[in-house]
Amino acid sequence: MTLLYIFLIIINATGFLLMHIDKHRAKNNLWRISESTFLVMALIGGSIGCLAGMYTARHKTKHPKFTIGIPFIISVQIVSAVILYSILPK
């Protein structure tokens, strides 16, 4: 379980940082991080970090793919975690 927590902390911190890095790159007309990278990051467990990064950097907040997609991913992950927790032996 400890490894899962470490993974989630790292993946969420990475998602958060990637949003800020991409915002900086967008302002300076530099090479950008692809949208699919953010969505994959969210799907593999970094959804909260991506969402926090979106709103603290004010980045991708006008794209429905992110404003609806990331919260949807978080919802699915929470429901999945609750279901897994309820069926796993204590």
Side-chain angles (χ1 to χ4, degrees):
M1 208 56 160
T2 303
L3 287 176
L4 175 64
Y5 295 142
I6 292 169
F7 170 77
L8 289 173
I9 289 167
I10 291 170
I11 202 73
N12 279 286
T14 303
F16 182 85
L17 289 173
L18 284 178
M19 280 291 181
H20 284 270
I21 290 167
D22 194 52
K23 175 68 173 198
H24 172 75
R25 289 179 175 181
K27 285 182 178 179
N28 295 303
N29 290 327
L30 299 172
W31 171 82
R32 303 284 303 280
I33 298 168
S34 70
E35 291 184 348
S36 61
T37 300
F38 294 117
L39 295 173
V40 168
M41 186 71 57
L43 284 170
I44 63 172
S47 54
I48 294 172
C50 288
L51 187 69
M54 265 176 50
Y55 287 104
T56 59
R58 295 186 185 141
H59 189 52
K60 305 267 186 216
T61 57
K62 294 182 181 178
H63 298 264
K65 184 188 298 187
F66 291 95
T67 57
I68 296 169
I70 301 286
F72 177 76
I73 291 170
I74 292 171
S75 300
V76 169
Q77 289 171 339
I78 290 171
V79 168
S80 299
V82 168
I83 291 170
L84 279 174
Y85 182 78
S86 68
I87 64 171
L88 290 176
K90 307 286 188 260

